[in-house]
Amino acid sequence: MSWADLGLPDAPEPSGNETPAPRPRKEPKPPKEPKPPKTPKPPKPPRESGGQGDGEGGSRTPLILGIVAGVLLVAVVVTLGFALTRGSSTASPADTPSSDASTATPTAQPSPSPSASSDAVGVPVALKFGGTGFTLVDKNAKTVFSYEWRDKAADAVTELTAAFGAAPTQRVEPGDGSSYPDYAVYQWEGFLLYDMVDGTGGAQRATFTQPSYATFSRNEVGPISMTAEHGLKIGSPVTAVRAAGPSQEVPRGNVGSIRFIFDQSRSSAGPPVQYSMIADTDGSTVTAVLYYFAAGG
């Protein structure tokens, strides 16, 4: 049917500028259900610098560090285990430290060193004679007291009295009044010490050639052994005296007695004063040893 059949004019041709009819309104879509949040990815470890790039070198570094750390941990555990095992196996109940301070073991005191004890001087055991005087020595041959012929005799008398265990008797032996002085004589059983009286006989002790001298007729005086030179002692046979090589052999007034002078050239006014050693015999054995100034050497 057309517009003419209806008695209506024909519809105009569309020009293309007509306003389109409004579109029917769409129904709103129902809201979508929210998606569950995604699990965040762990951050990537930082890459090691050093020029290895992005290859396999960078990914191996954590693995190497982990291996090294594991080795070190194992070494520490083994070392601690060995130390604890060794300490527990060697310790005894007596060695376990006590927590009570009152039961603590006192610290040991240091013992004297051998050098300190070896330097100590003991009691005298012998009286050794020589050209310049005599010396009291201990069992280790260390000097206890030393006397030279020009020394004052008072100190020697004190030391000898202590060593011999007895005081001497005293007397004065007169000189010739002109050139030979008087002597104070200190006499023990078997030993005599002569000390000149200064100024007597025109002699001065500071310059006289024989300010003091000594003689002994026993091998022991108290606990002290008498020790002469050349290995001679009281009772040595004349053959041993001659074998020692004396400087001179002089017959004495008594029948058969002989005086043997050793080191005669040693006698000197010094300083220090020096004497010769003289061995008096009865013709067969030594009866006395004298340290004296032997002139004519």
Side-chain angles (χ1 to χ4, degrees), residues 108-148:
Q109 296 298 322
S111 58
S113 62
S115 59
S117 59
S118 63
D119 291 339
V121 178
V123 297
V125 297
L127 187 62
K128 296 180 66 175
F129 292 87
T132 59
F134 56 77
T135 304
L136 282 167
V137 297
D138 65 8
K139 65 179 180 180
N140 296 318
K142 292 184 179 295
T143 298
V144 178
F145 173 76
S146 182
Y147 175 78
E148 292 188 353

